[in-house]
Amino acid sequence: MSRDALDREQGHMESDAFIHDLREALAAMGDPARAEQQRAYLKSEMDMYGVGVPATRRVATTTAAAHAVLWREAATWESALRLLWDGATHREERFATLAIIRSKHSAAYAARMESLVLYEHLLRTGQWWDLVDETSHAVGLVVRAHPAAAARMRAWAVDADLWVRRSAIICQLQHKEHTDLGLLTDVIEANQEDPEFFIRKAIGWALRDYARTDGDWVRAFVETHPGLSQLSRREALKHL
């Protein structure tokens, strides 16, 4: 067996051990009654352990720390996250994937242009607001670090997948004065007449968030874009 093949095999073994430990920890904290409530709220077809998001994040980062070898290289980082996400038996395992992306274990990789490939995969397979919105935070790290990512967001803004479009719209949340206003304008204009609730809500959310930085800009934007839905307009101007 070649050195590369041996390294890949060892990486898979370590990933399997990490996922096993994570599942055991989540199962031990699970609350079946809460799990059913969460499934109903999220309309999740996937089973749930019944562990809240803050606790899931703590378990994810603690377990990740015990398998530090996985986070030393970009290839093993992405491979482990894909295995956890794609093989998830319970929704919290996908929350855990996103928690690791936001943690110190991903500091060297989360904002790379190359990571957009992973994030797009998470968006296209997550397909619901809780997973998509958290993934969009990671997308935003790339957008802020790499101006070249704006072109990818403009392409996402006209994608057939509504969740990919939603991510393009909200990826600059909390960017404040670092917001690329040309990009924000373009992704909203591409979607302002979309009848889908989650798109209209996203537009309003993105504008409302930026209004905390420049309310005058948001007012002017709303006034000059009569095609915005009432929902988007209401959300945009909520605190102005």
Side-chain angles (χ1 to χ4, degrees), residues 51-201:
V51 180
V53 172
T56 298
R57 287 174 176 161
R58 289 193 296 272
V59 169
T61 54
T62 299
T63 308
H67 296 271
V69 67
L70 292 172
W71 324 119
R72 292 175 183 168
E73 296 182 2
T76 53
W77 171 79
E78 181 168 344
S79 176
L81 293 178
R82 281 181 177 269
L83 285 171
L84 176 57
W85 180 276
D86 290 343
T89 61
H90 292 68
R91 200 173 192 87
E92 287 93 340
E93 293 164 26
R94 290 190 163 179
F95 293 158
T97 305
L98 297 169
I100 293 168
I101 290 173
R102 294 192 67 163
S103 76
K104 64 180 181 181
H105 303 296
S106 301
Y109 320 117
R112 301 181 316 151
M113 274 291 291
E114 297 87 344
S115 296
L116 280 180
V117 175
L118 171 63
Y119 302 156
E120 183 175 351
H121 174 70
L122 304 187
L123 293 170
R124 293 189 186 280
T125 54
Q127 292 289 299
W128 199 238
W129 63 266
D130 58 327
L131 300 175
V132 167
D133 292 359
E134 186 70 8
T135 302
S136 297
H137 169 82
V139 173
L141 297 177
V142 182
V143 170
R144 182 165 173 178
H146 301 280
R152 189 81 63 86
M153 294 303 102
R154 289 182 169 93
W156 283 15
V158 295
D159 195 273
D161 189 318
L162 79 90
W163 300 109
V164 173
R165 296 200 307 278
R166 179 176 169 94
S167 187
I169 294 166
I170 65 173
C171 69
Q172 294 194 86
L173 290 176
Q174 299 178 19
H175 284 200
K176 300 179 180 179
E177 67 274 10
H178 301 290
T179 301
D180 180 339
L181 294 176
L183 174 59
L184 183 62
T185 296
D186 288 347
V187 297
I188 290 176
E189 287 181 346
N191 289 277
Q192 64 180 327
E193 296 181 0
D194 193 311
E196 169 60 52
F197 169 82
F198 287 105
I199 295 298
R200 292 183 169 188
K201 190 78 169 180

